[in-house]
Amino acid sequence: MSWSLLYSSQSLGKTYARPLGLNELSFYYDRIFNGTADITWRYIVEETKLATGRDIFGAVNVQRAWATLKQWYPLLGVKMDDSDGIDAVKFVVSERSLSHHRPDEVVIRTVASSSEVEEILWTLTRYDPMADHHLISRLFVLARRDRPGTYEVLFRAAHAITDGISGATIARTFFDLLASSPSRIPPLEERLAMALPYDQLNPTNKMSLPRKRWRRAIAQVTFLNRRRKLTGGHAIVRTVTDKTYRTPATSDRVGNRFSLAETTAILHACKKQNLTLGAVIPVISQLASARILHRRYLRGEISKDEWEHRRRQPMHFGGPINLRPYMDVEWQKNGGTTEVALAIDYYECTLPFMPTPYGTRRDDGVPRADGAPPYSALLSHARFFHRARLFRGQLLRTVKNPLMLDIAQARQPTYAQRKKIIATHWLAEQKGEPLPTYTQPSYWDSVPSDYLPSNGLSSVGQMSLILPEKYPLPCGYPLSVHTARAASPAFGAVAEISGAKPTPERPPVTADADALLRIVDNNTFLHARPMEFFLANSTDRDQIGLSVTFDANVYSRAVAEEFIEECRQATLFYLGGDGIPKPKL
């Protein structure tokens, strides 16, 4: 899967190509399914007084910075060539495509207010998500007429070439380039050597063939055993039909943010219990679902039979795992830990049944706070932290497994096949053709037919370690393209869950007196999958934010808003106060 030279011409320069890795191919299937999983990152950026008269956001400077960014991270300038069929897709990139821009690739204009920006966002993620699919990535620089000196910057990219760490790298590098003098352009071959699929960067590849086969076989068995345990489950109220799996999601999003004081208290409470926020969020999610379901049961909207079923079911959660810390060591040392590429797998963990201390009772003796039993009646602080440790233990067993990358590769045939089925069924239905059929070997997956995940999760931790607030970056900043020495591989452990330790030291920050640009807000917008209900959390500028991306065909916005508010209240109840017991030694 290495890059190979296709041809060289005076007009295009050198043109290279390589096949997509299986993980990348699975996200290609997402993309042709009405733009599913495409990502748009939104940044609100302010110029400082020092930037006056510099024309930082002028067209020439913006286009220079974007071209330089692509030359450092060439996947941002590739085309996906499926001329040989959807099972043999290739990335194709030319030197010209990196140094020049295609029509509509870079959009620079003025908008009246944030409402106009939101309309652009919803056009990209909901109303017309495939209109720009001739482009693998795009940049929008939108000057706010209502706030002079404030700019909305949107980065849009296919998930086949990006993930959470990639998004931070794109923003950090672009703003640094924008606020700095022109920098050196690296040789294309040097950068393409970093833009490889993760299965090609598996250290196992350097082992002997017999040893490699043994590891892959053990990884396959481990994957199947894990999947076999995922039995049962339930989710919050939703509407699903037999066509939902092949109906493109109507993406929607809700979110909120904790104050600085609340964030400090929450992180302090987690530290006292020797837990991360990522370990407690699944329990927060479970309790939010429990309150929502109790509320409906007590109103008579859920039957006793359904309630009896739900209260006996486990609750399954899953989310992305950052694979960079497990990949080739030399690649990491050369900067791979923050490379713009797709380098994620997925974990699945299970919590016991949701707390229902009053069984099937609906009488007036059941205590109610806003229509449902209060958190104090549902789960004690001690049991809350016990469940968080149960989840953490499962997660640690996943990320500490020495066969981590091999298990990730064992998963990929199942995921790619499932996404291919969804995409081709939707495409066939659009054409009025019969739905294609596929066979899947039994050794690809062993998940029980009654498996039902509760919701997805993503915990990206303290983003300021890899996404500073002020630009240009200071001299010697470890993640700057202006710094010759590659950053510590520990930076790959920051965003999304991984098994890497330790977290790197906080890098230097730009002094206020030297700052030209300052990020004042940012959010991520995903094109949801069918039936998706995805809870994410991150800490930006010392404030924890929660958001839910969901399929509005399946979940109502009212339910999503109710859920995110319950998550907020549960977090404050269990983590925001002083009456939290110390962990037992």
Side-chain angles (χ1 to χ4, degrees):
M1 294 182 185
S2 297
W3 295 90
S4 58
L5 179 66
L6 287 183
Y7 50 82
S8 181
S9 68
Q10 189 171 0
S11 59
L12 296 178
K14 296 177 181 178
T15 298
Y16 289 87
R18 73 160 171 85
L20 273 64
L22 198 51
N23 198 21
E24 295 166 331
L25 183 62
S26 74
F27 279 95
Y28 162 81
Y29 295 140
D30 280 333
R31 186 167 167 85
I32 64 174
F33 178 45
N34 202 44
T36 296
D38 282 356
I39 313 175
T40 304
W41 292 278
R42 177 188 188 179
Y43 289 85
I44 301 178
V45 181
E46 292 179 349
E47 290 182 316
T48 67
K49 290 182 180 180
L50 189 63
T52 303
R54 295 183 182 240
D55 200 24
I56 290 177
F57 284 96
V60 172
N61 196 42
V62 167
Q63 291 172 355
R64 172 194 65 82
W66 181 249
T68 306
L69 178 71
K70 290 193 298 179
Q71 289 167 317
W72 273 98
Y73 302 110
L75 288 180
L76 294 172
V78 302
K79 294 181 70 173
M80 288 197 282
D81 178 8
D82 59 4
S83 58
D84 293 330
I86 64 172
D87 295 328
V89 185
K90 299 185 292 291
F91 285 140
V92 179
V93 63
S94 68
E95 289 179 310
R96 181 177 175 79
S97 69
L98 301 179
S99 59
H100 294 72
H101 311 313
R102 300 184 179 99
D104 298 323
E105 182 181 343
V106 177
V107 177
I108 306 171
R109 65 183 179 90
T110 300
V111 294
S113 66
S114 62
S115 298
E116 192 172 342
V117 180
E118 288 165 7
E119 189 64 24
I120 294 171
L121 280 165
W122 290 124
T123 298
L124 294 172
T125 58
R126 181 189 292 175
Y127 306 133
D128 199 2
M130 296 187 73
D132 60 357
H133 270 196
H134 59 292
L135 301 168
I136 197 81
S137 65
R138 296 183 75 186
L139 169 69
F140 294 77
V141 174
L142 310 170
R144 290 275 294 273
R145 186 179 295 121
D146 61 328
R147 290 173 58 180
T150 298
Y151 295 82
E152 301 256 8
V153 180
L154 310 181
F155 303 101
R156 176 165 163 82
H159 211 327
I161 64 165
T162 53
D163 53 20
I165 282 186
S166 300
T169 297
I170 290 168
R172 180 188 64 248
T173 307
F174 177 76
F175 293 133
D176 188 31
L177 291 168
L178 196 66
S180 305
S181 301
S183 61
R184 75 178 184 93
I185 304 301
L188 176 56
E189 293 79 7
E190 175 185 307
R191 297 307 304 152
L192 289 177
M194 298 296 293
L196 298 173
Y198 77 71
D199 43 353
Q200 191 170 342
L201 294 166
N202 187 342
T204 302
N205 294 338
K206 298 178 181 179
M207 296 179 179
S208 66
L209 184 59
R211 190 176 179 190
K212 188 188 310 183
R213 284 174 174 169
W214 270 110
R215 287 178 63 94
R216 301 285 165 85
I218 296 169
Q220 183 74 36
V221 172
T222 302
F223 167 68
L224 293 174
N225 286 340
R226 287 179 180 175
R227 296 282 287 174
R228 194 173 290 113
K229 295 176 182 177
L230 298 173
T231 182
H234 67 117
I236 58 175
V237 287
R238 60 185 195 162
T239 302
V240 177
T241 70
D242 59 354
K243 291 186 177 181
T244 300
Y245 80 95
R246 65 174 188 270
T247 302
T250 298
S251 299
D252 206 346
R253 184 183 186 278
V254 296
N256 58 40
R257 186 164 290 173
F258 294 95
S259 68
L260 288 170
E262 289 168 339
T263 297
T264 299
I266 290 165
L267 296 179
H268 177 68
C270 289
K271 187 175 181 179
K272 281 178 66 176
Q273 298 294 322
N274 195 28
L275 292 167
T276 63
L277 185 61
V280 300
I281 282 294
V283 191
I284 295 291
S285 178
Q286 183 182 50
L287 287 164
S289 297
R291 284 260 297 167
I292 289 172
L293 293 170
H294 269 93
R295 195 170 284 129
R296 280 149 181 77
Y297 175 69
L298 293 174
R299 291 200 302 244
E301 297 172 12
I302 294 177
S303 69
K304 283 194 174 184
D305 286 345
E306 181 183 341
W307 187 249
E308 278 289 353
H309 172 75
R310 284 181 176 273
R311 62 191 295 264
R312 285 169 166 74
Q313 294 299 306
M315 296 185 75
H316 306 292
F317 301 89
I321 296 178
N322 173 27
L323 293 178
R324 287 170 171 79
Y326 308 94
M327 293 161 68
D328 183 79
V329 173
E330 287 303 313
W331 179 83
Q332 292 185 55
K333 289 180 179 178
N334 289 331
T337 49
T338 56
E339 184 71 23
V340 173
L342 177 66
I344 55 172
D345 189 40
Y346 300 90
Y347 71 87
E348 290 132 341
C349 294
T350 301
L351 287 176
F353 48 80
M354 68 177 178
T356 55
Y358 301 97
T360 57
R361 288 174 54 191
R362 287 198 245 224
D363 58 81
D364 293 340
V366 177
R368 290 168 171 81
D370 193 22
Y375 292 112
S376 58
L378 288 177
L379 201 65
S380 68
H381 279 84
R383 298 303 296 176
F384 173 86
F385 290 116
H386 173 69
R387 290 196 176 205
R389 292 188 179 93
L390 286 177
F391 191 91
R392 183 187 63 176
Q394 294 176 62
L395 195 54
L396 285 176
R397 286 192 291 275
T398 296
V399 301
K400 296 293 186 182
N401 193 302
L403 299 177
M404 182 71 206
L405 269 185
D406 301 290
I407 295 170
Q409 288 182 237
R411 181 191 305 273
Q412 286 313 310
T414 296
Y415 271 43
Q417 179 85 326
R418 185 177 69 191
K419 294 178 180 182
K420 178 181 176 182
I421 290 170
I422 293 170
T424 56
H425 281 196
W426 175 68
L427 291 169
E429 190 170 51
Q430 299 302 298
K431 299 174 183 177
E433 299 173 353
L435 304 184
T437 58
Y438 301 93
T439 58
Q440 178 171 305
S442 59
Y443 58 83
W444 276 12
D445 199 3
S446 59
V447 69
S449 60
D450 66 345
Y451 168 58
L452 178 57
S454 295
N455 60 264
L457 298 170
S458 176
S459 186
V460 296
Q462 179 57 264
M463 290 298 290
S464 63
L465 289 170
I466 58 174
L467 184 61
E469 177 186 353
K470 293 172 288 187
Y471 297 86
L473 297 173
C475 182
Y477 186 86
L479 298 180
S480 172
V481 295
H482 299 106
T483 302
R485 181 176 56 84
S488 164
F491 281 100
V494 175
E496 296 169 322
I497 290 168
S498 76
K501 291 287 182 179
T503 299
E505 293 183 8
R506 188 178 292 270
V509 297
T510 302
D512 288 341
D514 299 326
L516 298 174
L517 304 176
R518 178 180 289 107
I519 298 172
V520 297
D521 198 9
N522 63 283
N523 288 293
T524 301
F525 293 78
L526 281 168
H527 188 304
R529 303 180 188 280
M531 299 181 279
E532 185 162 47
F533 196 85
F534 191 81
L535 172 64
N537 78 84
S538 65
T539 305
D540 299 287
R541 294 169 298 282
D542 298 320
Q543 287 183 264
I544 295 171
L546 300 176
S547 66
V548 174
T549 298
F550 62 99
D551 180 0
N553 297 331
V554 175
Y555 300 94
S556 71
R557 185 174 181 85
V559 166
E561 290 174 342
E562 184 180 357
F563 177 85
I564 200 76
E565 179 59 24
E566 289 290 352
C567 286
R568 175 180 175 79
Q569 295 304 323
T571 303
L572 292 176
F573 177 80
Y574 290 100
L575 303 173
D578 296 325
I580 300 173
K582 295 181 180 179
K584 293 181 179 180
L585 298 178

